[in-house]
Amino acid sequence: MGRKPTKAADSPFCQARLAAAKYNERLFSKEGASELLGVSVSTLSDYELGLTKVVPPDMVLKMADLYNAPELANIYCRCMCPLGSDIPEISLDDLDRISVKALASFRKIAETRDNLLDIVEDGVITEDEKPKLKSILANLDELAALSQNLKIWVMKNLEEEVK
């Protein structure tokens, strides 16, 4: 049997398992992964094929830990949990890219702070202040996403040092 999935190839769970298989050969097969996760092969297959409507959150955390793929928690919360639809999408950038994006974003903080103070100082949000408020929210969302990107990078790359 080949090692390239066909039906589950787009699944983040399958992609994370196969990426982790570079370091743990047992993860190349669903059989090996299901044994390590403590679920049946058919259950793992259902998760990877998207046949299970709601993957249990504890199982997502187990997969994230076993596969060293903390981004699975973000994907789960953002895409599968009805409460997390506003969670920012993270990108798996290298540390230098995350740092450059963060530094560029930090330049906006002073302007964001000043605009927020201007808007709220009188206790009333006028129609002409609403676009500025939307811009403030966008800047804060950008910072939140960068924070999550950095956190996931650290979890993936410095796991032994963090524990």
Side-chain angles (χ1 to χ4, degrees), residues 38-58:
V39 297
S40 70
V41 176
S42 64
T43 297
L44 180 59
S45 185
D46 288 350
Y47 295 160
E48 290 186 1
L49 291 169
L51 299 177
T52 301
K53 294 268 187 219
V54 179
V55 178
D58 62 322

Side-chain angles (χ1 to χ4, degrees), residues 22-41:
K22 295 173 188 168
Y23 308 103
N24 183 344
E25 193 171 298
R26 292 182 69 193
L27 298 175
F28 271 120
S29 71
K30 287 181 189 169
E31 292 78 10
S34 64
E35 186 178 311
L36 293 170
L37 290 168
V39 297
S40 70
V41 176

Side-chain angles (χ1 to χ4, degrees), residues 2 9 25 31 37 41 62 70 96 113 115 142 152-153 162:
E25 193 171 298
E31 292 78 10
L37 290 168
V41 176
K62 276 185 178 181
D96 62 339
R113 180 198 64 221
N115 283 339
E142 183 180 322
I152 286 175
W153 187 92
V162 174

Side-chain angles (χ1 to χ4, degrees), residues 131-149:
K132 277 187 180 179
L133 189 57
K134 286 182 182 181
S135 175
I136 290 167
L137 290 175
N139 289 342
L140 293 175
D141 284 342
E142 183 180 322
L143 280 173
L146 284 166
S147 172
Q148 288 302 306
N149 282 343

Side-chain angles (χ1 to χ4, degrees), residues 104-122:
S105 185
F106 291 164
R107 282 193 259 163
K108 300 176 187 176
I109 290 176
E111 179 186 349
T112 299
R113 180 198 64 221
D114 291 344
N115 283 339
L116 184 58
L117 285 172
D118 289 344
I119 291 170
V120 300
E121 73 181 335
D122 62 0

Side-chain angles (χ1 to χ4, degrees), residues 58-93:
D58 62 322
M59 183 53 57
V60 175
L61 293 175
K62 276 185 178 181
M63 286 189 276
D65 186 47
L66 178 63
Y67 304 160
N68 189 28
E71 66 274 13
L72 289 178
N74 175 272
I75 292 168
Y76 177 84
C77 291
R78 191 173 40 80
C79 301
M80 299 172 190
C81 175
L83 300 176
S85 62
D86 65 343
I87 291 176
E89 181 176 358
I90 54 102
S91 57
L92 298 177
D93 293 329

